[in-house]
Amino acid sequence: MFFIESGDLVSPEDYNYITNFLMETTGLSLGENKEYLLEARLVPLAQVHGMNGIQDLVLSLKSKMDRSLEREIMEAMTTNESSFFRDRRPFDELKANILPEIINERKMTRKLRIWCSACSHGQEPYSIMMLLRENYPELNDWNIQIISTDLCKKALERAREGVYSQFEVQRGLPVHLLMKYFEQCEQGWKIKPDLGAGIQWKHLNLLEDFRHLGMFDIVFCRNVLIYFKPELKKDILNRISSQLNSSGTLLLGAAETVLGISDKYAKQAGCQSAIYQLASNSVADPIAR
């Protein structure tokens, strides 16, 4: 039996073409020696389209005849790893240090806007909504908007459906919240409609203009920037800063930072997680849209 060694399925020329394509369209910096990743994610896609391999995918990309294939490649290479209350501490600090202050400042408008900028399969926005429901009953009559965006349309469809396997609900989700906010279904567990009512799902590429989303009190941009080059990180962080209200807060992933990248932010006092407020010289218009 003949075995193909890892790396033999993609030529250096095809690898460079796809990595450049991903950089230009998604900002994803794949780097060197990731041939195995291309093979694992794109060979099955090529087979679905009746192609012989990655070389045929590249030829189709170069022809620019099939725009839907471009989107499928982008989505196949996008990481959609997530879990409920991921890394727990940021959610604890959100509850203890951030939300009380923001709620106090917004008590006149009774409006709270949160953006999950890479929501994947929806665990993050649903976790936020559960946190609000469980800890802040005074918000029951507030106008709460959670805008959840992602590059991957398939991930958004899954998030909107709110259906999760037994394995997925066992990752970070306390049993009492599972029983309260989910109902069993054939595929596992489904979010009850009431919990998802305040969440909006939108397709968005962070490389594109997102000013149309409006202003926010809290922005989650966790475990996204680690895939981008420094200049793209700076651009995205600076554009997010212009859409944070004066007391707004930015949450990044545990391995991410603004230090040495953007001077628009300052570390949130009392928080150990990667949580930032606007720097004093970067305060946006305090009037929420």
Side-chain angles (χ1 to χ4, degrees):
M1 182 178 292
F2 177 72
F3 293 94
I4 298 177
E5 295 289 338
S6 177
D8 288 350
L9 298 180
V10 53
S11 69
E13 294 78 12
D14 290 343
Y15 182 79
N16 289 335
Y17 188 88
I18 292 178
T19 54
N20 288 334
F21 165 77
L22 292 171
M23 173 64 72
E24 293 173 2
T25 56
T26 70
L28 176 64
S29 178
L30 205 57
E32 300 179 352
N33 303 318
K34 294 291 180 64
E35 288 85 355
Y36 68 92
L37 187 59
L38 255 66
E39 294 167 7
R41 298 191 180 185
L42 296 187
V43 169
L45 179 61
Q47 293 172 342
V48 167
H49 284 269
M51 299 178 180
N52 291 325
I54 292 177
Q55 183 178 17
D56 287 351
L57 278 179
V58 171
L59 289 174
S60 182
L61 273 181
K62 289 180 177 179
S63 73
K64 301 187 183 300
M65 297 292 290
D66 189 350
R67 295 296 183 182
S68 64
L69 181 62
E70 293 183 2
R71 178 178 56 80
E72 289 184 66
I73 291 174
M74 291 161 59
E75 294 192 356
M77 294 305 301
T78 301
T79 299
N80 287 310
E81 169 65 20
S82 188
S83 60
F84 290 101
F85 297 99
R86 186 175 181 179
D87 303 328
R88 191 71 210 194
R89 175 175 284 173
F91 290 92
D92 291 339
E93 294 180 334
L94 181 69
K95 179 178 70 173
N97 302 330
I98 299 168
L99 279 168
E101 180 179 341
I102 292 178
I103 290 171
N104 183 58
E105 293 192 4
R106 296 286 176 266
K107 61 186 177 184
M108 296 301 294
T109 62
R110 305 173 74 81
K111 183 177 181 180
L112 180 66
R113 300 194 80 234
I114 300 172
W115 177 21
C116 294
S117 63
C119 68
S120 186
H121 295 145
Q123 289 97 324
E124 184 174 80
Y126 287 129
S127 295
I128 296 168
M129 189 62 83
M130 284 186 276
L131 184 149
L132 294 176
R133 292 279 182 88
E134 289 295 298
N135 297 281
Y136 300 99
E138 66 269 28
L139 300 182
N140 287 343
D141 59 350
W142 279 40
N143 178 7
I144 297 177
Q145 298 176 9
I146 299 181
I147 311 300
S148 302
T149 65
D150 202 272
L151 173 67
C152 181
K153 289 185 177 180
K154 289 183 179 179
L156 284 171
E157 290 171 5
R158 267 210 67 194
R160 187 179 291 109
E161 291 173 358
V163 176
Y164 300 95
S165 67
Q166 184 67 36
F167 173 74
E168 288 173 312
V169 298
Q170 287 176 332
R171 297 182 64 201
L173 184 65
V175 174
H176 73 280
L177 296 183
L178 173 65
M179 303 309 297
K180 185 174 182 178
Y181 294 108
F182 292 72
E183 53 192 10
Q184 283 192 289
C185 63
E186 184 177 350
Q187 297 90 345
W189 296 86
K190 181 176 176 60
I191 291 281
K192 291 182 178 179
D194 179 60
L195 187 71
I199 302 176
Q200 300 177 38
W201 311 97
K202 298 177 181 291
H203 178 250
L204 180 75
N205 187 335
L206 287 175
L207 298 191
E208 299 171 357
D209 188 0
F210 44 71
R211 286 176 294 181
H212 62 282
L213 296 179
M215 301 294 288
F216 293 94
D217 300 298
I218 301 170
V219 173
F220 282 72
C221 189
R222 304 177 66 221
N223 307 301
V224 183
L225 299 181
I226 54 174
Y227 300 108
F228 296 160
K229 287 191 173 182
E231 58 269 24
L232 278 178
K233 293 180 183 180
K234 180 176 182 178
D235 173 64
I236 293 170
L237 285 169
N238 288 349
R239 286 190 289 129
I240 289 175
S241 74
S242 68
Q243 290 183 237
L244 276 173
N245 289 318
S246 57
S247 59
T249 300
L250 169 69
L251 290 87
L252 300 181
E256 297 167 326
T257 182
V258 302
L259 298 178
I261 301 173
S262 173
D263 60 359
K264 303 291 186 181
Y265 302 88
K267 193 75 166 63
Q268 172 78 40
C271 293
Q272 298 183 42
S273 304
I275 301 178
Y276 302 89
Q277 286 186 316
L278 287 176
S280 57
N281 61 345
S282 302
V283 174
D285 186 343
I287 300 177
R289 297 177 196 166

